[in-house]
Amino acid sequence: MSELLDNKEAATKAVVDWMTKKSKNKTKFYFKDFYKVFPDDKPRLIKKVITKMVQEEVLEYWSSGSTTMYGLKGGGIQHSSEGEE
């Protein structure tokens, strides 16, 4: 595990900073996009961090049924604004 993933606050800040920087172009990201934030870590460890961020409501989970994506809480079009339940 990298030092970045060891430090929960630093990992959260790195993800939020990266997503904020990229938000000019898009607001939702595939899980594999987070590999760029944590290039030295295994997918399973990255998934734990991202899942924890969703539980803490830093990120939102979005699914169209066949596609799963993540976005910053309150950013972009989400389920509630698309009329989905």
Side-chain angles (χ1 to χ4, degrees), residues 29-72:
F29 299 88
Y30 294 103
F31 173 71
K32 67 180 181 175
D33 292 334
F34 294 104
Y35 294 178
K36 297 171 189 167
V37 181
F38 306 103
D40 300 328
D41 294 298
K42 295 183 179 186
R44 183 179 204 113
L45 296 174
I46 297 169
K47 182 75 169 180
K48 286 182 180 183
V49 169
I50 300 303
T51 299
K52 188 71 172 169
M53 290 177 72
V54 170
Q55 292 170 347
E56 293 173 350
E57 296 185 355
V58 174
L59 299 180
E60 273 184 323
Y61 175 77
W62 183 87
S63 177
S64 67
S66 61
T67 302
T68 301
M69 301 181 91
Y70 300 86
L72 289 172

Side-chain angles (χ1 to χ4, degrees), residues 18-20 22-30 33-34 59-60 62 69-78 82:
W18 178 78
M19 291 178 80
T20 302
K22 297 287 185 179
S23 69
K24 294 173 186 158
N25 298 329
K26 63 182 192 174
T27 58
K28 296 183 189 105
F29 299 88
Y30 294 103
D33 292 334
F34 294 104
L59 299 180
E60 273 184 323
W62 183 87
M69 301 181 91
Y70 300 86
L72 289 172
K73 181 78 173 175
I77 298 172
Q78 303 298 333
E82 293 176 352

